[in-house]
Amino acid sequence: MSALANNSIVAVIGSGAMGAGIAQVAAAAGYTVKLYDTRAEAVSKALLDIGKMYAKLAEKGRMTADEAAAATARLQAAGSLADVSDCALVVEAIVENLDVKRGLFAELEALVSDDCILATNTSSISVTAIAAKLRRPERLVGMHFFNPVPLMALVEVISGLATSEQVAATVYDTSIAWGKSPVHAKSTPGFIVNRVARPFYAEGWRLLNEQAGDAATIDCVLREAGGFRMGPFELMDLIGHDVNFSVTQSVFGAYFNDPRFTPSVLQQEMVNAGFLGRKSGRGFYLYGEGAPAPVAQAESAQATPEFVALSAAIGGDGRGHSGVIRSLVQRLEQASITVSRRVTHEGQAMDEAPALHCNGAAIYLTDGRSATQRAHDNQHPDTVLFDLALDYAGAKRIAVARADQCSDAAYAAVVGLFQAAGFIVTRLDDVPGLAVMRTVAMLANEAADAVNQGVCTVAAVDIAMQKGVNYPRGPLAWADAVGVQHIVTVLHHLAQGYGEDRYRVSPLLRRKLATGATFHAE
Ligand code: NAI
């Protein structure tokens, strides 16, 4: 472990929301912290707020009163930049502006010792660029915290082209000493989280644009079937559409307009309208007293079908496509629905994928084709698709899409079947890949590309998305669970269906597919 010694002095420059949070965790971990800001009142406010936070933690029993007092005593205001000259680590959390950050680090370099580490909390500027003008650029590293810092465990430790390995390793180990979960990443636009998370929003916008459902319905499916803490629209309402749109534009531009990252015209309109989310009282939802609760689409109660069959063997190790089907079948069986393994002629569809059958309907896990397309391909009109769930055993809701050719009776039977197993059934309009599957496939695709391009490791991307944005499962662990083969099939069908480069399959997914390898060992 090469963390900075516990008696080292840490300076935090910029005492806004991020700086105060960083100072709070460093002092709580036993380090002396000097706080500086061009506005002295920002430092006083931060010191006051942090003191209150410690008192709250002590009340909740998360630290003792003595620890809270000691941590408070370790925090000092720096009256001028010169006061931080004895620090071993400086963490910068000032305005997000390259020239201002460069200016600050140039000033700092003239003050601090040669072995002092300079860290930037930038979320969008190249660490390489911030370091470029320094006398010793190898000492500058990104230390990217997430908001609110005391609650979010992730720290992305970002190496620019010149950053020394030793410096990155020290900051990584120091983050652990501060109680955080760090990951290493190369300085590339969006680093890990702000890049890999883009499809979570982008696919939401696509679904809305194609009228798969309204925002409340899509949010609910991502939450109650996908297991995400928040759906994309409620999350963007929280972040602010102006902020989210600007991050999307910045990543899109930084990747030279790669269609993967194309911003949404719909979001631009939200910004144009001033519907920025919670902070403006209106985004997709209304906020404030008396605001109506969002209502997601749900199908009305239908009769349970009498005969249900499964058309394929679903053995195996529980991972992959057949593992997904098996867990859904288990949920049906636990609800005392008999699922016959004998398929009668009525359910015989011309599709190799495992299907459930009832009342003439063939029911498949979405593979990235629309239900209408699949019904046409199979010459089986009564086709209904269901969406991915994080865990069918516990999911409250299941999303389905019916083919345009599907009869009302067959569709009603499918709804009745899932309702009998305790699901709320939400119908999405027949968009390719439905909501959770399409989002997860694109998250996995982006995560695989980040790994393929040497931005980070497989373990790092999965930790980053869980600890930085609370995803219920790392995208690559999710690809393993659904099966790399199925993820590639979904992406392939999306690419084919839309004819857009946006859905091109990551070379790393193809490589895993060729060998049958998974991202994580079991
Ligand atoms: P903020 O606006 O709350 O605080 C910035 C503080 O820096 C202000 O108190 C300001 O007076 C001070 N400041 C500005 N220029 C200065 C200078 N030259 N020297 C000393 N102090 C100066 O901003 P916030 O949200 O705390 O963000 C700070 C940095 O952290 C930005 O670079 C931002 O991109 C990054 N960041 C922000 C996240 C967020 O969710 N807010 C998440 C991760 C990173």
Side-chain angles (χ1 to χ4, degrees), residues 14 16-18 37-39 93-94 96 101 121 123 144-145 147:
M18 296 304 286
D37 199 292
T38 39
R39 295 183 303 119
I94 65 166
E96 191 73 343
K101 286 189 196 287
N121 182 44
S123 52
H144 184 211
F145 290 85
N147 193 13

Side-chain angles (χ1 to χ4, degrees), residues 302-309 336-340 342 346 357-360 409 412-414 416-417 420:
Q302 301 296 329
T304 309
E306 273 168 23
F307 180 77
V308 184
S336 303
I337 298 163
T338 305
V339 180
S340 165
R342 179 181 52 85
E346 60 133 21
H357 303 269
C358 67
N359 291 26
V414 177
L417 171 64

Side-chain angles (χ1 to χ4, degrees), residues 225-494:
F228 289 91
R229 232 178 246 189
M230 295 177 100
F233 302 107
E234 51 192 340
L235 182 54
M236 287 185 281
D237 267 10
L238 180 67
I239 293 169
H241 287 281
D242 51 343
V243 173
N244 186 268
F245 187 57
S246 130
V247 176
T248 304
Q249 278 184 305
S250 134
V251 173
F252 180 54
Y255 281 107
F256 307 117
N257 297 5
D258 184 335
R260 280 263 183 84
F261 304 109
T262 309
S264 166
V265 169
L266 293 183
Q267 189 167 35
Q268 184 160 45
E269 278 293 88
M270 294 295 285
V271 176
N272 288 342
F275 298 163
L276 303 181
R278 275 175 197 258
K279 63 184 171 190
S280 69
R282 174 172 180 178
F284 276 98
Y285 304 104
L286 294 173
Y287 298 93
E289 238 161 84
V295 181
Q297 196 277 351
E299 294 294 32
S300 57
Q302 301 296 329
T304 309
E306 273 168 23
F307 180 77
V308 184
L310 177 71
S311 69
I314 45 165
D317 60 2
R319 278 179 162 192
H321 190 174
S322 73
V324 172
I325 307 291
R326 190 167 65 174
S327 64
L328 178 62
V329 169
Q330 276 167 354
R331 164 97 179 232
L332 301 180
E333 289 178 337
Q334 266 154 19
S336 303
I337 298 163
T338 305
V339 180
S340 165
R341 300 304 199 260
R342 179 181 52 85
V343 178
T344 61
H345 65 282
E346 60 133 21
Q348 201 74 56
M350 293 169 54
D351 199 311
E352 282 176 8
L356 284 159
H357 303 269
C358 67
N359 291 26
I363 315 165
Y364 300 100
L365 174 66
T366 173
D367 70 356
R369 281 176 291 172
S370 65
T372 302
Q373 183 66 48
R374 204 155 171 178
H376 172 76
D377 292 349
N378 290 342
Q379 297 185 11
H380 188 97
D382 287 344
T383 295
V384 177
L385 304 182
F386 63 92
D387 200 0
L388 183 64
L390 174 67
D391 165 29
Y392 290 103
K396 202 167 151 187
R397 189 175 294 264
I398 193 165
V400 298
R402 72 182 266 188
D404 292 348
Q405 307 90 321
C406 182
S407 67
D408 289 345
Y411 176 67
V414 177
V415 171
L417 171 64
F418 288 139
Q419 286 173 338
F423 289 109
I424 298 169
V425 180
T426 287
R427 179 181 168 190
L428 295 175
D429 195 24
D430 187 22
V431 290
L434 289 168
V436 181
M437 180 65 89
R438 182 164 158 165
T439 301
V440 167
M442 284 297 274
L443 289 172
N445 203 30
E446 202 53 51
D449 256 3
V451 172
N452 198 45
Q453 293 159 11
V455 175
C456 60
T457 63
V458 168
V461 71
D462 275 1
I463 290 171
M465 303 317 287
Q466 289 173 279
K467 305 277 185 185
V469 269
N470 290 322
Y471 285 3
R473 191 185 262 162
L476 295 177
W478 216 333
D480 283 345
V482 176
V484 169
Q485 169 140 37
H486 196 72
I487 295 288
V488 170
T489 303
V490 169
L491 292 168
H492 171 74
H493 282 142
L494 289 171

Side-chain angles (χ1 to χ4, degrees), residues 26-330:
Y31 292 76
T32 298
V33 178
K34 294 186 176 180
L35 256 176
Y36 176 75
D37 199 292
T38 39
R39 295 183 303 119
E41 66 275 18
V43 177
S44 328
K45 181 177 182 303
L47 291 176
L48 207 70
D49 289 349
I50 300 170
K52 283 186 201 155
M53 292 302 289
Y54 287 151
K56 249 191 214 163
L57 290 171
E59 253 171 52
K60 287 187 189 162
R62 304 251 186 89
M63 44 189 339
T64 65
D66 283 353
E67 283 166 350
T72 306
R74 281 191 290 269
L75 285 162
Q76 301 168 14
S80 72
L81 257 197
D83 284 351
V84 310
S85 59
D86 55 351
C87 291
L89 167 66
V90 181
V91 186
E92 166 275 311
I94 65 166
V95 285
E96 191 73 343
N97 176 298
L98 175 61
D99 289 336
V100 180
K101 286 189 196 287
R102 273 183 171 167
L104 171 72
F105 281 117
E107 250 186 277
L108 282 167
E109 204 177 31
L111 294 169
V112 297
S113 69
D114 266 4
D115 52 4
C116 172
I117 294 176
L118 303 178
T120 172
N121 182 44
T122 182
S123 52
S124 64
I125 303 174
S126 156
V127 170
T128 305
I130 295 174
K133 301 269 165 86
L134 289 181
R135 186 167 44 83
R136 301 190 59 228
E138 65 276 13
R139 65 154 97 189
L140 190 131
V141 65
M143 194 175 190
H144 184 211
F145 290 85
F146 289 74
N147 193 13
V149 179
L151 297 183
M152 301 304 290
L154 183 66
V155 177
E156 291 180 334
V157 178
I158 313 294
S159 292
L161 280 183
T163 308
S164 94
E165 269 183 39
Q166 185 56 45
V167 164
T170 304
V171 165
Y172 182 95
D173 289 344
T174 303
S175 305
I176 294 175
W178 292 3
K180 297 294 177 194
S181 303
V183 293
H184 284 289
K186 219 161 69 174
S187 178
T188 42
F191 309 141
I192 305 175
V193 169
N194 279 339
R195 169 191 181 161
V196 176
R198 303 286 20 109
F200 185 71
Y201 312 110
E203 291 312 309
W205 289 114
R206 297 283 298 226
L207 291 164
L208 192 71
N209 203 26
E210 291 174 27
Q211 306 181 75
D214 59 13
T217 300
I218 297 167
D219 275 349
C220 204
V221 169
L222 267 301
R223 236 185 306 112
E224 295 183 358
F228 289 91
R229 232 178 246 189
M230 295 177 100
F233 302 107
E234 51 192 340
L235 182 54
M236 287 185 281
D237 267 10
L238 180 67
I239 293 169
H241 287 281
D242 51 343
V243 173
N244 186 268
F245 187 57
S246 130
V247 176
T248 304
Q249 278 184 305
S250 134
V251 173
F252 180 54
Y255 281 107
F256 307 117
N257 297 5
D258 184 335
R260 280 263 183 84
F261 304 109
T262 309
S264 166
V265 169
L266 293 183
Q267 189 167 35
Q268 184 160 45
E269 278 293 88
M270 294 295 285
V271 176
N272 288 342
F275 298 163
L276 303 181
R278 275 175 197 258
K279 63 184 171 190
S280 69
R282 174 172 180 178
F284 276 98
Y285 304 104
L286 294 173
Y287 298 93
E289 238 161 84
V295 181
Q297 196 277 351
E299 294 294 32
S300 57
Q302 301 296 329
T304 309
E306 273 168 23
F307 180 77
V308 184
L310 177 71
S311 69
I314 45 165
D317 60 2
R319 278 179 162 192
H321 190 174
S322 73
V324 172
I325 307 291
R326 190 167 65 174
S327 64
L328 178 62
V329 169
Q330 276 167 354

